[in-house]
């Protein structure tokens, strides 16, 4: 076909030109409506995305908070465990020491018995050696006797089982007699000294 067969816009009758112009305007209006609708949809989607981001941010903060609390709890538990373990190691001989103290008391009482003949003196010598060995073993393991005789009464170290009138003012509040020795293990009192205090 030649160029002349297709009519140009100028060659169309007036009516057709108006129809074409209206169609073009309608197309423009439709595009405008489509753009407005697309913008509204985009705004709605943007609002939804913002709400989703806010919810996820809050969830992330909550999870981070729970994580930090869990970490703190774990660290506290580890510290408690380490402290308990250190105390167990530090005071491992406490129970054994407590059990041995009654044997030490018995050996000391046996030494108070008078030895008249050679056999009883030999027996007493053996008891003394045994007692010295036990006391040395206790000392080597951190168990020591509490000084009490003549000392100022200390309720954390001494247990007053009797009181007597003081002979002078210097003697008031002091231990005048030890009925049973007391012992400390490192920084703990294994057994307080049973004492008589002057009042």
């Amino acid at each position: 076909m030649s160029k002349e067969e297709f009519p140009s816009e100028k060659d169309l009758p007036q009516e057709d030109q108006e129809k074409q112009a209206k169609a073009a305007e309608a197309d423009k209006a439709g595009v405008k409506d489509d753009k407005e609708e697309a913008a509204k949809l985009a705004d709605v989607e943007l609002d939804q995305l913002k709400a989703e981001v806010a919810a996820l941010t809050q969830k992330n903060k909550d999870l981070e908070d729970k994580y930090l609390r869990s970490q703190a709890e774990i660290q506290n538990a580890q510290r408690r465990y380490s402290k308990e373990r250190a105390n167990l190691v530090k005071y491992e001989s406490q129970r054994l020491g407590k059990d041995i103290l009654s044997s030490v008391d018995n050996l000391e009482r046996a030494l108070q018995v008078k030895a008249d003949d050679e056999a009883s003196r030999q027996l007493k010598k053996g008891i003394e050696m045994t007692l010295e060995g036990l006391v040395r073993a206790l000392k080597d393991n951190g168990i020591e006797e509490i000084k009490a005789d003549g000392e100022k009464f200390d309720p954390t170290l001494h247990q007053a089982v009797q009181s007597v009138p003081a002979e002078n003012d210097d003697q008031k509040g002091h231990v005048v007699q030890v009925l049973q020795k007391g012992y400390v293990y490192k920084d703990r009192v294994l057994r307080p000294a049973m004492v008589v205090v002057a009042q």
Side-chain angles (χ1 to χ4, degrees):
M1 285 189 167
S2 66
K3 195 178 180 183
E4 293 167 4
E5 291 179 25
F6 292 110
S8 69
E9 209 175 285
K10 293 176 187 176
D11 297 336
L12 290 173
Q14 181 69 28
E15 228 175 84
D16 288 340
Q17 284 179 9
E18 285 176 12
K19 281 183 185 176
Q20 262 187 343
K22 282 183 184 177
E25 277 181 38
D27 283 345
K28 282 182 186 176
V31 167
K32 189 176 179 185
D33 288 345
D34 286 347
K35 283 183 181 177
E36 285 177 8
E37 197 170 310
K40 284 179 186 175
L41 284 173
D43 286 346
V44 169
E45 284 181 16
L46 185 62
D47 289 344
Q48 287 175 345
L49 288 174
K50 283 180 181 177
E52 220 174 290
V53 166
L56 288 172
T57 302
Q58 186 58 46
K59 188 175 181 180
N60 187 38
K61 281 182 183 176
D62 293 344
L63 288 173
E64 188 176 354
D65 185 52
K66 285 180 184 176
Y67 170 75
L68 291 174
R69 286 176 191 269
S70 298
Q71 286 294 99
E73 284 179 26
I74 289 169
Q75 287 175 353
N76 288 339
Q78 286 174 337
R79 274 195 290 273
R80 273 194 308 273
Y81 173 74
S82 295
K83 190 176 180 180
E84 287 171 8
R85 186 178 166 101
N87 279 339
L88 284 174
V89 169
K90 184 177 179 181
Y91 299 113
E92 66 185 338
S93 301
Q94 179 175 341
R95 190 172 184 174
L96 177 63
K98 232 177 195 177
D99 292 342
I100 291 175
L101 291 180
S102 59
S103 299
V104 170
D105 292 339
N106 290 335
L107 290 173
E108 286 175 343
R109 278 192 283 276
L111 288 175
Q112 291 172 356
V113 175
K114 194 171 187 178
D116 294 335
D117 58 359
E118 186 60 32
S120 58
R121 281 193 287 273
Q122 288 297 323
L123 185 60
K124 193 170 184 176
K125 183 71 176 163
I127 293 172
E128 282 174 355
M129 291 171 62
T130 305
L131 179 61
E132 285 172 12
L134 274 176
V135 169
R136 192 177 321 107
L138 290 172
K139 210 174 237 184
D140 290 345
N141 285 284
I143 299 171
E144 294 186 17
E145 184 183 334
I146 295 172
K147 291 180 182 175
D149 199 15
E151 299 286 321
K152 184 164 178 56
F153 178 74
D154 181 352
T156 60
L157 300 174
H158 309 128
Q159 180 181 353
V161 292
Q162 188 180 348
S163 63
V164 294
E167 293 175 6
N168 55 47
D169 286 342
D170 292 339
Q171 201 180 41
K172 273 190 178 179
H174 285 72
V175 174
V176 290
Q177 185 183 355
V178 178
L179 302 176
Q180 184 183 48
K181 290 180 180 179
Y183 292 88
V184 289
Y185 177 55
K186 297 183 181 178
D187 55 355
R188 285 186 177 175
V189 175
L190 266 184
R191 183 177 79 185
M194 293 174 71
V195 297
V196 177
V197 182
Q199 293 293 331

